[in-house]
Amino acid sequence: SQTIHQWPATLVQPVGSPLSLECTVEGTSNPNLYWYRQAAGRGLQLLFYSVGIGQISSEVPQNLSASRPQDRQFILSSKKLLLSDSGFYLCAWSVTGDQPQHFGDGTRLSIL
Amino acid sequence: GESVGLHLPTLSVQEGDNSIINCAYSNSASDYFIWYKQESGKGPQFIIDIRSNMDKRQGQRVTVLLNKTVKHLSLQIAATQPGDSAVYFCAENRDSGYALNFGKGTSLLVTP
């Protein structure tokens, strides 16, 4: 069966520090991968998605970036975090764009 | 712009009653819809999906209805239980086919 792992579960970072969140998927090949951000009490905002190794589509301009160095690995990064980057970050995978997306347990990021 | 939205931000039901959560969509080209359940501090969990060639689909205690004429989607939960308390999101596939648009969510509270 397929599983998705995100880490860390919680993270507290100072303003201006770098960020690296990692997501890996097991049990499937060539998945679509997604990064979302969810503000408290709000819906999910798509940040990035990838349909293959090295391919990244960005949905909103921001100081975040994503990379897919391996087929089942998706990384969310920032060189300098802003206060507005606080939120709940979720990684997801799907077989194709019109199949269910399956989410990890998320990372709660707090910027101080 | 085209979007997915929910009629009610909160819904309170008594244990044992049936729950109905509604969702309106505006993109008539959408052909795939999903319902997710999100518990506090966790990632969204897939509940049920439906394609535009269907009007109704049933799962375990859940039914999704799709009315393409009025662009309306609903999730029915039979015999609602305390464990059903969560935020429910509807989502539709996007024109690109690679990602989903999520609604803002409805909070379901089940009271004893």
Side-chain angles (χ1 to χ4, degrees):
Chain A
S1 63
Q2 301 89 359
T3 57
I4 180 168
H5 303 280
Q6 269 188 262
W7 66 92
T10 59
L11 188 60
V12 180
Q13 292 284 100
V15 170
S17 64
L19 173 74
S20 180
L21 301 181
E22 188 162 344
C23 171
T24 60
V25 180
E26 296 177 358
T28 187
S29 296
N30 196 32
N32 285 0
L33 296 172
Y34 310 85
W35 277 112
Y36 289 87
R37 178 170 57 204
Q38 186 176 32
R42 303 290 295 275
L44 281 74
Q45 178 189 32
L46 179 65
L47 302 175
F48 302 95
Y49 67 89
S50 171
V51 299
I53 296 175
Q55 188 282 329
I56 306 293
S57 295
S58 175
E59 287 293 302
V60 290
Q62 57 205 321
N63 69 320
L64 298 172
S65 62
S67 62
R68 185 172 178 173
Q70 299 181 42
D71 181 41
R72 290 168 291 170
Q73 183 185 28
F74 207 23
I75 297 173
L76 184 69
S77 305
S78 174
K79 292 181 180 178
K80 280 189 176 182
L81 286 167
L82 306 173
L83 283 174
S84 58
D85 291 324
S86 292
F88 191 44
Y89 288 83
L90 290 155
C91 181
W93 74 273
S94 68
V95 174
T96 63
D98 62 348
Q99 295 283 333
Q101 291 181 18
H102 304 280
F103 288 82
D105 286 333
T107 294
R108 178 77 57 193
L109 176 63
S110 298
I111 309 300
L112 304 179
Chain B
E2 294 170 331
S3 64
V4 176
L6 293 169
H7 293 306
L8 297 173
T10 59
L11 177 64
S12 182
V13 299
Q14 282 198 313
E15 183 178 356
D17 288 351
N18 296 334
S19 303
I20 300 176
I21 302 172
N22 296 303
C23 180
Y25 64 95
S26 56
N27 184 357
S28 56
S30 296
D31 59 5
Y32 179 60
F33 305 87
I34 306 179
W35 281 101
Y36 285 92
K37 172 186 179 184
Q38 186 177 25
E39 297 176 325
S40 180
K42 296 185 178 180
Q45 178 185 8
F46 168 75
I47 301 173
I48 192 167
D49 58 0
I50 188 168
R51 299 193 183 275
S52 59
N53 61 351
M54 301 175 69
D55 297 322
K56 178 180 179 179
R57 192 169 187 214
Q58 288 183 295
Q60 186 177 11
R61 283 200 307 118
V62 295
T63 300
V64 56
L65 298 177
L66 176 63
N67 186 330
K68 295 180 285 294
T69 302
V70 295
K71 288 184 270 188
H72 184 267
L73 190 70
S74 68
L75 176 70
Q76 300 179 0
I77 304 174
T80 313
Q81 302 169 359
D84 294 327
S85 292
V87 176
Y88 290 81
F89 293 95
C90 63
E92 62 174 345
N93 71 321
R94 297 171 63 175
D95 294 334
S96 67
Y98 290 127
L100 299 172
N101 275 338
F102 283 82
K104 290 183 171 59
T106 292
S107 178
L108 176 66
L109 177 63
V110 182
T111 58

Coordinates of all heavy atoms in Angstrom, one line a residue, chain A residues 50-96:
Chain A
S50 N 4.0 18.9 -9.0 CA 5.0 18.3 -9.9 C 4.4 17.1 -10.5 O 3.9 16.2 -9.8 CB 6.2 18.0 -9.1 OG 7.1 17.3 -9.8
V51 N 4.6 16.9 -11.8 CA 4.1 15.7 -12.5 C 5.3 14.8 -12.8 O 5.1 13.7 -13.4 CB 3.3 16.0 -13.7 CG1 2.1 16.8 -13.3 CG2 4.1 16.8 -14.7
G52 N 6.5 15.2 -12.4 CA 7.7 14.3 -12.7 C 8.9 14.9 -12.1 O 9.0 16.1 -11.7
I53 N 10.0 14.1 -12.1 CA 11.3 14.5 -11.5 C 11.7 15.8 -12.2 O 11.8 15.9 -13.4 CB 12.3 13.4 -11.7 CG1 12.0 12.2 -10.9 CG2 13.7 13.9 -11.2 CD1 12.9 11.0 -11.2
G54 N 12.1 16.8 -11.4 CA 12.7 18.0 -11.9 C 11.6 19.0 -12.5 O 12.0 20.1 -12.8
Q55 N 10.4 18.6 -12.5 CA 9.3 19.4 -13.0 C 8.5 20.0 -11.9 O 8.0 19.3 -11.1 CB 8.4 18.6 -14.0 CG 7.4 19.5 -14.7 CD 6.2 19.9 -13.9 OE1 5.8 19.2 -13.0 NE2 5.6 21.1 -14.1
I56 N 8.5 21.4 -11.8 CA 7.8 22.1 -10.7 C 6.9 23.2 -11.4 O 7.4 23.9 -12.2 CB 8.7 22.7 -9.8 CG1 9.8 21.7 -9.2 CG2 8.0 23.4 -8.6 CD1 9.2 20.7 -8.3
S57 N 5.6 23.2 -10.9 CA 4.8 24.3 -11.3 C 4.4 25.1 -10.1 O 4.0 24.5 -9.1 CB 3.5 23.8 -12.0 OG 3.8 23.1 -13.2
S58 N 4.6 26.4 -10.2 CA 4.3 27.3 -9.0 C 3.0 28.0 -9.2 O 2.6 28.4 -10.3 CB 5.4 28.3 -8.9 OG 5.1 29.3 -7.9
E59 N 2.2 28.0 -8.1 CA 0.9 28.5 -8.2 C 0.8 30.0 -7.7 O 0.0 30.7 -8.2 CB -0.1 27.7 -7.4 CG -0.4 26.4 -8.0 CD -1.2 26.5 -9.3 OE1 -2.3 27.1 -9.2 OE2 -0.7 26.1 -10.3
V60 N 1.6 30.3 -6.8 CA 1.5 31.7 -6.2 C 2.9 32.2 -6.1 O 3.8 31.5 -5.6 CB 0.8 31.8 -4.9 CG1 -0.7 31.5 -5.1 CG2 1.3 30.8 -3.9
P61 N 3.2 33.5 -6.4 CA 4.5 34.1 -6.2 C 4.8 34.3 -4.8 O 3.9 34.8 -4.0 CB 4.4 35.4 -7.0 CG 3.0 35.8 -7.0 CD 2.2 34.5 -7.1
Q62 N 5.9 33.9 -4.3 CA 6.2 34.0 -2.9 C 7.7 33.7 -2.7 O 8.4 33.4 -3.7 CB 5.4 33.0 -2.1 CG 5.6 31.6 -2.6 CD 4.4 30.7 -2.3 OE1 3.8 30.8 -1.2 NE2 4.0 29.9 -3.2
N63 N 8.2 33.7 -1.5 CA 9.6 33.4 -1.2 C 9.8 32.0 -0.9 O 10.8 31.6 -0.4 CB 10.1 34.3 -0.1 CG 9.5 33.9 1.2 OD1 8.3 33.5 1.3 ND2 10.2 33.9 2.3
L64 N 8.9 31.1 -1.3 CA 9.1 29.7 -1.2 C 9.4 29.1 -2.5 O 9.1 29.6 -3.6 CB 7.8 29.0 -0.6 CG 7.3 29.5 0.7 CD1 5.9 28.9 1.0 CD2 8.3 29.1 1.8
S65 N 10.1 27.9 -2.5 CA 10.4 27.2 -3.7 C 10.2 25.7 -3.4 O 10.2 25.3 -2.3 CB 11.8 27.5 -4.2 OG 12.8 27.1 -3.2
A66 N 10.1 24.9 -4.5 CA 10.0 23.5 -4.3 C 10.9 22.8 -5.3 O 11.3 23.3 -6.3 CB 8.5 23.0 -4.6
S67 N 11.3 21.6 -4.9 CA 12.2 20.8 -5.7 C 11.8 19.3 -5.6 O 11.2 18.9 -4.6 CB 13.7 20.9 -5.3 OG 13.9 20.5 -4.0
R68 N 12.1 18.6 -6.7 CA 11.8 17.1 -6.7 C 13.0 16.4 -7.2 O 13.1 16.1 -8.4 CB 10.6 16.9 -7.6 CG 10.1 15.4 -7.6 CD 8.8 15.2 -8.4 NE 8.4 13.9 -8.4 CZ 7.2 13.5 -8.9 NH1 6.4 14.4 -9.4 NH2 6.9 12.2 -8.9
P69 N 14.0 16.2 -6.3 CA 15.2 15.6 -6.7 C 15.1 14.1 -7.1 O 15.9 13.6 -7.8 CB 16.1 15.8 -5.5 CG 15.2 15.9 -4.4 CD 13.9 16.5 -4.9
Q70 N 14.1 13.4 -6.5 CA 13.9 12.0 -6.8 C 12.4 11.8 -7.1 O 11.6 12.7 -6.8 CB 14.3 11.1 -5.6 CG 15.8 11.2 -5.3 CD 16.2 10.3 -4.1 OE1 15.7 9.2 -4.1 NE2 17.0 10.8 -3.2
D71 N 12.1 10.7 -7.7 CA 10.7 10.4 -8.1 C 9.7 10.6 -7.0 O 8.6 11.1 -7.2 CB 10.6 9.0 -8.7 CG 9.2 8.7 -9.2 OD1 8.6 9.5 -9.9 OD2 8.7 7.5 -8.9
R72 N 10.0 10.2 -5.8 CA 9.0 10.2 -4.7 C 9.4 11.1 -3.6 O 9.0 10.9 -2.4 CB 8.8 8.7 -4.2 CG 8.1 7.8 -5.2 CD 8.2 6.4 -4.9 NE 9.6 5.9 -5.0 CZ 9.9 4.7 -4.6 NH1 9.1 3.9 -4.0 NH2 11.2 4.3 -4.7
Q73 N 10.2 12.1 -3.9 CA 10.6 13.0 -2.9 C 10.3 14.5 -3.3 O 10.6 14.9 -4.4 CB 12.2 12.9 -2.7 CG 12.7 13.8 -1.6 CD 14.2 13.7 -1.5 OE1 14.9 13.4 -2.4 NE2 14.8 13.9 -0.3
F74 N 9.7 15.2 -2.4 CA 9.3 16.6 -2.7 C 9.7 17.5 -1.6 O 9.4 17.1 -0.4 CB 7.7 16.6 -2.9 CG 7.2 17.7 -3.8 CD1 8.0 18.3 -4.8 CD2 5.9 18.1 -3.7 CE1 7.5 19.3 -5.6 CE2 5.4 19.1 -4.6 CZ 6.2 19.7 -5.5
I75 N 10.4 18.5 -1.9 CA 11.0 19.4 -0.8 C 10.5 20.8 -1.0 O 10.4 21.3 -2.1 CB 12.5 19.3 -0.9 CG1 13.0 17.9 -0.6 CG2 13.1 20.3 0.1 CD1 14.5 17.7 -0.9
L76 N 10.1 21.4 0.1 CA 9.7 22.8 0.1 C 10.7 23.6 0.9 O 11.1 23.2 2.0 CB 8.3 22.9 0.8 CG 7.7 24.3 0.9 CD1 7.2 24.8 -0.5 CD2 6.5 24.4 1.8
S77 N 11.2 24.7 0.2 CA 12.3 25.4 0.8 C 12.1 26.9 0.8 O 11.2 27.4 0.1 CB 13.6 25.2 0.0 OG 13.9 23.8 -0.1
S78 N 12.9 27.6 1.6 CA 12.9 29.0 1.6 C 14.3 29.5 2.0 O 14.9 28.8 2.9 CB 11.9 29.6 2.5 OG 12.0 31.1 2.6
K79 N 14.8 30.5 1.5 CA 16.1 31.0 1.9 C 16.0 31.9 3.1 O 16.9 32.0 4.0 CB 16.8 31.8 0.7 CG 17.1 30.9 -0.4 CD 17.8 31.7 -1.5 CE 18.2 30.8 -2.7 NZ 18.8 31.6 -3.8
K80 N 14.8 32.7 3.2 CA 14.6 33.6 4.3 C 13.1 33.6 4.6 O 12.3 34.2 3.8 CB 15.1 35.0 3.9 CG 16.5 35.3 4.0 CD 16.8 36.8 3.8 CE 18.3 37.1 4.0 NZ 18.6 38.5 3.9
L81 N 12.8 33.1 5.8 CA 11.4 33.0 6.1 C 10.8 34.4 6.6 O 11.5 35.2 7.2 CB 11.2 32.0 7.3 CG 11.3 30.5 6.9 CD1 11.4 29.7 8.1 CD2 10.1 30.1 6.0
L82 N 9.5 34.6 6.2 CA 8.8 35.8 6.6 C 7.8 35.4 7.7 O 7.4 34.2 7.8 CB 8.1 36.4 5.5 CG 9.0 36.8 4.2 CD1 8.1 37.2 3.1 CD2 10.0 37.8 4.6
L83 N 7.3 36.3 8.5 CA 6.3 36.1 9.4 C 5.0 35.5 8.7 O 4.4 34.6 9.3 CB 5.9 37.3 10.2 CG 6.8 37.8 11.3 CD1 6.4 39.2 11.8 CD2 6.9 36.8 12.4
S84 N 4.7 35.9 7.5 CA 3.6 35.5 6.8 C 3.7 34.1 6.3 O 2.7 33.5 5.8 CB 3.3 36.4 5.6 OG 4.4 36.5 4.8
D85 N 4.8 33.5 6.5 CA 5.0 32.1 6.1 C 4.5 31.1 7.1 O 4.5 29.9 6.9 CB 6.5 31.8 5.8 CG 7.0 32.5 4.5 OD1 6.2 32.6 3.6 OD2 8.2 32.9 4.5
S86 N 4.1 31.6 8.3 CA 3.5 30.7 9.3 C 2.3 30.0 8.7 O 1.5 30.6 8.0 CB 3.1 31.5 10.5 OG 4.3 32.0 11.2
G87 N 2.1 28.7 9.1 CA 0.9 28.0 8.7 C 1.1 26.5 8.8 O 2.1 26.0 9.3
F88 N 0.1 25.8 8.2 CA 0.1 24.4 8.3 C 0.4 23.9 6.8 O -0.4 24.2 5.9 CB -1.3 23.9 8.7 CG -1.3 22.4 9.0 CD1 -0.4 21.8 9.7 CD2 -2.5 21.7 8.6 CE1 -0.5 20.4 10.1 CE2 -2.6 20.3 8.9 CZ -1.6 19.7 9.7
Y89 N 1.5 23.2 6.6 CA 2.0 22.8 5.3 C 1.7 21.4 5.1 O 2.1 20.5 5.9 CB 3.5 23.1 5.1 CG 3.7 24.6 5.0 CD1 3.9 25.4 6.1 CD2 3.8 25.2 3.7 CE1 4.1 26.8 6.0 CE2 4.0 26.6 3.6 CZ 4.1 27.4 4.8 OH 4.3 28.7 4.7
L90 N 1.0 21.1 4.0 CA 0.6 19.7 3.7 C 1.2 19.3 2.3 O 1.1 20.0 1.3 CB -0.9 19.7 3.6 CG -1.7 19.9 4.9 CD1 -3.1 20.4 4.7 CD2 -1.7 18.5 5.7
C91 N 1.6 18.1 2.3 CA 2.1 17.4 1.1 C 1.1 16.4 0.7 O 0.4 15.8 1.5 CB 3.5 16.8 1.3 SG 4.2 16.0 -0.1
A92 N 0.9 16.2 -0.6 CA -0.1 15.2 -1.1 C 0.5 14.6 -2.4 O 1.3 15.1 -3.0 CB -1.4 15.9 -1.4
W93 N -0.1 13.4 -2.6 CA 0.2 12.7 -3.9 C -1.0 12.2 -4.5 O -2.0 12.0 -3.9 CB 1.2 11.6 -3.6 CG 0.6 10.4 -3.0 CD1 0.5 10.2 -1.7 CD2 0.1 9.2 -3.7 NE1 -0.2 9.0 -1.4 CE2 -0.4 8.4 -2.6 CE3 -0.1 8.9 -5.0 CZ2 -1.0 7.1 -2.9 CZ3 -0.7 7.7 -5.3 CH2 -1.2 6.8 -4.3
S94 N -1.0 12.0 -5.8 CA -2.0 11.4 -6.6 C -1.5 10.6 -7.7 O -0.3 10.9 -8.2 CB -3.1 12.4 -7.0 OG -2.5 13.2 -8.1
V95 N -2.3 9.7 -8.3 CA -1.8 8.9 -9.4 C -1.8 9.8 -10.7 O -0.9 9.9 -11.4 CB -2.7 7.7 -9.6 CG1 -2.4 7.0 -10.9 CG2 -2.6 6.7 -8.5
T96 N -2.9 10.5 -10.8 CA -3.1 11.5 -11.9 C -3.8 12.7 -11.4 O -4.2 12.7 -10.3 CB -3.8 10.9 -13.1 OG1 -5.2 10.6 -12.7 CG2 -3.2 9.7 -13.7

